[in-house]
Amino acid sequence: MQFSAEQREFAAAINDYCRRELATVAQRDAVTDGGALSNSPLVLADMARNGWLGVSLPEEYGGGGAGFVDECIFLEESSRGLAPLTGYSTGLTAAQTYLRWGTDDQKKTVVTNLTAGRLEAIALSEPGAGSDLAGLRVSARRDGDRYIINGQKTWISAAHVAEHILVLTREDSSGGRHQGMTLLMVPTTSPGLTIRAIDTMEAHTCNDVFFTDVEVPVSAVVGEPRNAWKQLMRGLSIERLIIAAMSIGGARRALDDVVAYAKEREQFGQSLASFQALRHRMADLATDVEIARVFLYDVAAKIDAGLEDDLSRESAMAKMRCTEVAKNTTLEAMQMMGGYGYAREYGMEGQVRRALAPPIYGGTNEIQREIIAKTIGL
């Protein structure tokens, strides 16, 4: 894996910012209301000023015009730096759908928002439709020059801080389960739209979103009406890579921190780093992280080569492996740090909490394994 000099400088700049501004729990608390926020407006504003947000999005719509490898560098390094901007990845996922299927006005609005640090959300899951997304029930009824939306979405990341939500709806129930779906761009200020936080083990990230006769104009349709399923199936490779890149950044940070702790901490008159049992565990973790990271960037390079639509297998592998490597690395790091791994002061417990959800969202890893299994003839 060879980065250009410019890409190495980009990674170093993000790393330097995070070391200066976000290195300690106290620093992160200061910009997240004591850890209550998963997205810091101050950090988003700083990164927008530096031109780092939307680095892979087209320049014609206000993005940076770089490749997806560069985007993965940003996602990896900002996650490694524990930057509180989880909503950015959600906005980036939504932006990819708008860029492929949206109107020029929709593309310009979403990309401009994202590069300025204003977030966007995407609403797919429902109480009865998670992995089985074709079971969705949120309805969109066409009435002249408008749509009227009713129903509930759940587990919607960043809805509470987004300017718009890209909502998957069912417009027509007369056909098959994968037919009749329409994507709509819904402002979060719309009358009848209610956002309610879901209390989880992390800072406020996820929400229930309720639609009660929410009206949007026909111009809110993203792509082709009643054909949203095919639209969503294309572009999933990028969503999986976004999650994978963030996870591998988290894995690297956990490894960095446990290695540093092992060098400093003494027991039985010698540093923890001198004990073979711990040295070998950390060596195994370093190997797992590097193998997953190399594979991640190999897939990202293929996206930049225009092969996105042929990467369902590789992107599923990357999402599944990187998220599980991150989960295992943080849990192992917590164990090796003993009681201090459990203490908030040292930060590892927060890293563990952040690593537990990615194997579930963006398509559970069980679903990723099903995708992979089909590609090997099972």
Side-chain angles (χ1 to χ4, degrees), residues 246-305:
M246 294 174 65
S247 293
I248 214 65
R252 290 185 69 198
R253 176 56 179 263
L255 184 61
D256 291 343
D257 287 356
V258 75
V259 167
Y261 177 84
K263 289 179 178 178
E264 296 172 1
R265 175 72 168 166
E266 289 192 2
Q267 287 287 277
F268 304 103
Q270 60 192 91
S271 75
L272 291 185
S274 66
F275 290 97
Q276 187 182 74
L278 298 184
R279 292 167 61 85
H280 287 188
R281 286 168 77 176
M282 286 183 274
D284 287 344
L285 294 177
T287 302
D288 290 343
V289 169
E290 190 60 23
I291 289 171
R293 185 169 182 255
V294 169
F295 185 68
L296 161 72
Y297 280 101
D298 178 71
V299 181
K302 290 177 180 177
I303 287 177
D304 286 343

Side-chain angles (χ1 to χ4, degrees), residues 218-244:
V218 170
S219 60
V221 172
V222 179
E224 184 181 347
R226 299 176 299 283
N227 200 32
W229 185 264
K230 291 182 179 178
Q231 296 168 192
L232 284 174
M233 291 305 101
R234 298 186 67 187
L236 286 180
S237 292
I238 285 183
E239 179 188 16
R240 293 170 189 151
L241 264 289
I242 289 170
I243 297 169

Side-chain angles (χ1 to χ4, degrees), residues 57-74:
L57 302 180
E59 290 180 292
E60 63 184 297
Y61 297 112
F68 202 69
V69 167
D70 298 77
E71 191 69 69
C72 285
I73 290 171
F74 172 74

Side-chain angles (χ1 to χ4, degrees), residues 95-356:
Q96 298 298 328
T97 302
Y98 285 109
L99 287 172
R100 187 182 284 268
W101 305 107
T103 65
D104 282 344
D105 284 345
Q106 289 170 345
K107 295 173 186 177
K108 183 176 181 180
T109 297
V110 169
V111 176
T112 300
N113 280 352
L114 202 57
T115 57
R118 299 191 302 272
L119 303 177
E120 301 286 328
I122 182 167
L124 306 179
S125 296
E126 299 180 8
S131 293
D132 181 20
L133 197 56
L136 72 88
R137 300 179 64 181
V138 167
S139 66
R141 177 173 59 86
R142 176 75 182 267
D143 181 16
D145 60 356
R146 61 182 181 165
Y147 279 91
I148 302 174
I149 309 169
N150 281 284
Q152 179 187 351
K153 294 289 185 180
T154 194
W155 300 113
I156 309 308
S157 299
H160 60 298
V161 290
E163 297 205 354
H164 305 87
I165 305 176
L166 180 62
V167 184
L168 180 64
T169 67
R170 188 171 296 283
E171 181 178 352
D172 183 358
S173 300
S174 63
R177 297 177 78 241
H178 299 93
Q179 298 175 331
M181 300 182 194
T182 299
L183 283 168
L184 295 169
M185 182 178 183
V186 183
T188 52
T189 55
S190 299
L193 189 154
T194 302
I195 298 170
R196 185 180 302 161
I198 297 175
D199 192 14
T200 69
M201 65 193 301
E202 291 190 81
H204 182 189
T205 301
C206 298
N207 308 271
D208 286 315
V209 182
F210 301 90
F211 301 86
T212 304
D213 293 331
V214 174
E215 296 184 12
V216 293
V218 170
S219 60
V221 172
V222 179
E224 184 181 347
R226 299 176 299 283
N227 200 32
W229 185 264
K230 291 182 179 178
Q231 296 168 192
L232 284 174
M233 291 305 101
R234 298 186 67 187
L236 286 180
S237 292
I238 285 183
E239 179 188 16
R240 293 170 189 151
L241 264 289
I242 289 170
I243 297 169
M246 294 174 65
S247 293
I248 214 65
R252 290 185 69 198
R253 176 56 179 263
L255 184 61
D256 291 343
D257 287 356
V258 75
V259 167
Y261 177 84
K263 289 179 178 178
E264 296 172 1
R265 175 72 168 166
E266 289 192 2
Q267 287 287 277
F268 304 103
Q270 60 192 91
S271 75
L272 291 185
S274 66
F275 290 97
Q276 187 182 74
L278 298 184
R279 292 167 61 85
H280 287 188
R281 286 168 77 176
M282 286 183 274
D284 287 344
L285 294 177
T287 302
D288 290 343
V289 169
E290 190 60 23
I291 289 171
R293 185 169 182 255
V294 169
F295 185 68
L296 161 72
Y297 280 101
D298 178 71
V299 181
K302 290 177 180 177
I303 287 177
D304 286 343
L307 302 176
E308 177 189 338
D309 292 339
D310 301 318
L311 294 173
S312 61
R313 165 192 167 110
E314 289 90 342
S315 64
M317 289 176 170
K319 191 271 181 182
M320 183 264 291
R321 183 53 58 206
C322 289
T323 58
E324 296 197 349
V325 164
K327 181 173 72 172
N328 182 59
T329 302
T330 54
L331 286 169
E332 282 284 287
M334 174 182 272
Q335 177 69 22
M336 286 187 279
M337 290 174 68
Y340 291 110
Y342 193 66
R344 191 167 185 271
E345 175 187 358
Y346 282 73
M348 190 57 68
E349 58 82 30
Q351 294 181 53
V352 169
R353 285 186 283 111
R354 279 186 288 274
L356 295 179

